[in-house]
Amino acid sequence: MRLDRFLSNLPRFSRKDVRLALLAGRLQVDGLTVKDPLHDVREFSHVMLDDEVLQVGKPARYFMLHKPPGCVSATTDPQHPTVLDLVHEPDKHDLHIAGRLDFNTSGLMLITNDGQWSRRLTQPATKLPKVYYVETEQDIGEHYVQKFAEGFYFAFEDLTTLPARLTILDHRRARLSIVEGRYHQVKRMFGFYDNKVVRLHRESMGPLVLDPALRPGRYRPLTAEEIQQI
């Protein structure tokens, strides 16, 4: 929300009061004096007028979790354990998942209460690569590599997937980098060759890599450096 609009929503401020306070440099947002009426004020912003606190600002929270198989990427589910069941934090109902994983897929999952941050991470326009370790039921042929780079036509969505990078590790193991998150995308891509994916594990999302010290089901807060990478 714009700073001038934030102030105007408070009953005590008229438009003239807002304009004069800004011109006089009486407003501070997160410890910095702000005169720009268009300055963005979020639910996390600490806002002061002179020595008076107008908004305390709730803390922004960011967590990295190692999702185990057999866990639903949801906040609640009547039948299965969810990702949030693994998180033991106060007010965890404020948290949401940034980039879901299928029920039996494991690996990196990011959980936050910052909607703008999670949108930057997951929106298609950013094209952040997501890297998966894949094991298949049958051998992975060298001819797969070119097809993955060309893309697959998905009739249900009437679209062709964006170029993906497939690196074959051995006969039935590969590493795959994609920039989309279509429904069951990885399984459907290998399904083009009738080759069933038997294990799927997300290793990274953009610059964020799953901490090797995190065991399945465990999580930790992101570092300031990790947060700023998105």
Side-chain angles (χ1 to χ4, degrees):
M1 180 185 296
R2 291 167 33 162
L3 178 56
D4 59 352
R5 186 168 299 169
F6 168 82
L7 295 170
S8 296
N9 285 342
L10 301 176
R12 56 186 284 193
F13 288 103
S14 66
R15 290 186 178 181
K16 181 179 179 181
D17 293 332
V18 171
R19 185 171 64 253
L20 292 175
L22 287 167
L23 287 172
R26 297 173 60 197
L27 274 301
Q28 286 192 332
V29 180
D30 296 327
L32 300 175
T33 299
V34 177
K35 294 185 177 183
D36 181 4
L38 302 182
H39 186 88
D40 189 30
V41 174
R42 305 177 62 200
E43 65 268 35
F44 311 115
S45 302
H46 184 81
V47 185
M48 295 187 67
L49 173 70
D50 299 327
D51 295 325
E52 180 186 358
V53 176
L54 300 181
Q55 176 176 283
V56 174
K58 67 180 182 181
R61 298 187 290 170
Y62 311 86
F63 301 100
M64 170 187 295
L65 179 138
H66 186 164
K67 179 190 176 296
C71 187
V72 179
S73 296
T75 53
T76 61
D77 188 274
Q79 295 181 319
H80 303 287
T82 71
V83 168
L84 281 189
D85 289 334
L86 302 172
V87 176
H88 306 289
E89 298 291 330
D91 299 320
K92 70 178 183 181
H93 60 275
D94 289 337
L95 300 172
H96 64 270
I97 299 160
R100 298 173 182 271
L101 289 173
D102 294 340
F103 182 70
N104 285 319
T105 300
S106 63
L108 175 63
M109 178 155 282
L110 298 166
I111 299 172
T112 182
N113 63 344
D114 186 342
Q116 288 188 19
W117 186 85
S118 62
R119 280 191 292 275
R120 288 198 301 272
L121 180 72
T122 59
Q123 64 187 359
T126 61
K127 291 185 169 58
L128 285 178
K130 293 173 279 291
V131 178
Y132 294 85
Y133 167 79
V134 187
E135 293 182 4
T136 59
E137 193 171 71
Q138 302 173 41
D139 289 356
I140 303 169
E142 290 290 341
H143 59 289
Y144 282 38
V145 175
Q146 182 60 35
K147 180 60 181 174
F148 274 74
E150 292 172 357
F152 295 83
Y153 177 69
F154 286 173
F156 182 76
E157 295 93 333
D158 189 25
L159 57 81
T160 299
T161 60
L162 293 174
R165 186 172 71 253
L166 181 69
T167 303
I168 299 174
L169 302 176
D170 63 23
H171 296 302
R172 299 186 181 183
R173 298 188 306 127
R175 182 161 284 112
L176 176 65
S177 176
I178 60 176
V179 294
E180 300 171 281
R182 305 290 175 187
Y183 177 70
H184 290 317
Q185 180 171 344
V186 176
K187 294 175 182 177
R188 293 165 72 187
M189 293 166 92
F190 281 92
F192 178 83
Y193 294 104
D194 294 322
N195 196 352
K196 183 179 178 181
V197 172
V198 296
R199 185 185 175 203
L200 187 59
H201 177 82
R202 185 160 66 195
E203 298 178 334
S204 64
M205 296 177 69
L208 300 178
V209 179
L210 179 62
D211 188 335
L214 281 180
R215 293 179 294 166
R218 298 301 180 92
Y219 69 96
R220 68 162 174 81
L222 293 187
T223 65
E225 181 180 0
E226 287 171 331
I227 295 166
Q228 292 166 6
Q229 288 179 328
I230 301 301

